[in-house]
Amino acid sequence: MSFHLTPLADPEPGAAGRRLAWLASDEDGVPLGSAFLRLFMKEGQEHLAELNLAVHGAERRRGIGTRLLEAAVDAARAERRRSVIAQAVQGSPADLFLAARGFRQVLALTYARLALADLDHAALDALVELPHPGYRLTAWEGTVPEKLARSFADSRRAMDDMPMEGTDFGTVVWDVERVVAAAQAVARRGELLHTVAAVHEADGSVVGFSELVVGGDGLGDGQHYGTAVLPEHRGRGLARWMKAASIRHARERHPRLAGLCTDTADSNAPMLAVNAALGYVPTHKALEYQLDL
């Protein structure tokens, strides 16, 4: 049975990038697989593209994935991209596929989940209420309040030294426009963004943050997006403090939520320790692959 590829384009490119897409179909128009290539556009990441490729399980080993990959890589080259990254669950067909086609492993990630039904409420409350002299917590839903916008955008550099091992990820340059656009993108998907921030009382600046996204219906599992503290304020327990406050918010604001999920680079020992201390249980590992163009 033959198949063909149909190139598509994202009708609504975002502030940080745009997507190209290809659909593989049989002669009757039945979808067999797809590939999405995200082209990063913001300063510091214009060299990068991210691939998401999938083929229906019953249609594998017919060359569909290879054709989709060739189309995406050709497009990345045409867009003058230096690197293409893709993620796969360790030991999955995607893991084997990428490794066999010139991609090299550059990062290992541990995914973990906190079951809210098993939460020790008293212990969590004690962590949130534990004093951290010189600091206070603040929080907001959706877009950052205007009075904190500049400081919050500046605090995003806390992610600059996040362990990325060999990944050619570049340095993400954040400004107020990008912070606002990211929050608006979550809202457009019908999801709820909640941010906890640590504020340095000496000057009122944001020195750390922890972001959590929950589905609009408050069901299923929430997803931690990022937790980071500026280098000059680390070693004071702020990451655990903020994440504990985020968990308590999820428990109170979304009583029907089942759990919270997070992913952390295996080389990020401090954050792995925070997750373990808060009760997160590893669920699986994923590998980040990179194709150097």
Side-chain angles (χ1 to χ4, degrees):
M1 183 171 63
S2 62
F3 63 89
H4 62 274
L5 300 189
T6 303
L8 308 170
D10 192 341
E12 296 183 5
R18 59 189 177 90
R19 292 192 308 168
L20 304 177
W22 296 263
L23 177 67
S25 307
D26 65 15
E27 59 266 28
D28 295 321
V30 177
L32 307 175
S34 62
F36 292 88
L37 187 71
R38 181 185 177 195
L39 300 168
F40 293 82
M41 306 293 289
K42 280 288 190 176
E43 179 185 353
Q45 290 191 303
E46 305 98 323
H47 65 282
L48 188 64
E50 183 177 40
L51 174 67
N52 190 323
L53 189 154
V55 176
H56 191 283
E59 307 297 340
R60 292 174 184 156
R61 298 189 176 277
R62 294 179 46 216
I64 298 170
T66 299
R67 282 276 305 278
L68 287 167
L69 176 62
E70 289 171 350
V73 170
D74 287 346
R77 285 199 174 98
E79 293 284 344
R80 300 184 180 277
R81 301 292 151 150
R82 185 172 72 214
S83 303
V84 177
I85 57 174
Q87 191 177 122
V89 174
Q90 189 176 47
S92 68
D95 180 7
L96 302 176
F97 175 86
L98 294 170
R101 285 162 178 79
F103 284 76
R104 60 187 178 90
Q105 180 187 329
V106 290
L107 183 68
L109 298 162
T110 292
Y111 281 72
R113 180 178 184 271
L114 177 69
L116 293 177
D118 300 335
L119 203 58
D120 184 334
H121 294 192
L124 181 68
D125 290 342
L127 283 176
V128 177
E129 301 304 329
L130 186 68
H132 290 70
Y135 300 92
R136 60 180 173 84
L137 293 182
T138 188
W140 61 85
E141 300 265 3
T143 304
V144 58
E146 185 175 353
K147 65 180 181 179
L148 289 175
R150 170 55 59 188
S151 178
F152 178 54
D154 291 344
S155 77
R156 304 293 303 201
R157 68 177 173 84
M159 302 288 283
D160 289 353
D161 62 350
M162 179 176 63
M164 294 300 291
E165 299 174 24
T167 311
D168 186 16
F169 199 69
T171 300
V172 181
V173 179
W174 288 90
D175 53 22
V176 173
E177 178 188 7
R178 184 165 189 169
V179 165
V180 171
Q184 291 174 340
V186 173
R188 283 197 299 271
R189 297 199 303 265
E191 297 176 327
L192 307 172
L193 170 65
H194 181 259
T195 305
V196 175
V199 175
H200 193 209
E201 292 185 327
D203 58 10
S205 64
V206 174
V207 300
F209 57 88
S210 185
E211 297 170 312
L212 177 69
V213 173
V214 174
D217 58 4
L219 301 175
D221 287 345
Q223 177 68 50
H224 291 284
Y225 267 36
T227 298
V229 177
L230 289 172
E232 57 269 31
H233 295 275
R234 291 173 186 165
R236 297 172 172 85
L238 300 182
R240 186 179 68 170
W241 191 28
M242 293 186 297
K243 206 160 191 176
S246 184
I247 295 168
R248 186 166 76 171
H249 165 83
R251 181 194 73 193
E252 296 173 348
R253 174 77 167 78
H254 307 288
R256 296 186 296 166
L257 199 64
L260 302 177
C261 298
T262 189
D263 59 275
T264 308
D266 283 359
S267 55
N268 191 349
M271 189 53 66
L272 290 172
V274 166
N275 293 338
L278 292 171
Y280 287 79
V281 177
T283 57
H284 65 280
K285 286 189 178 291
L287 303 175
E288 191 83 20
Y289 278 95
Q290 181 172 301
L291 182 67
D292 302 313
L293 302 181

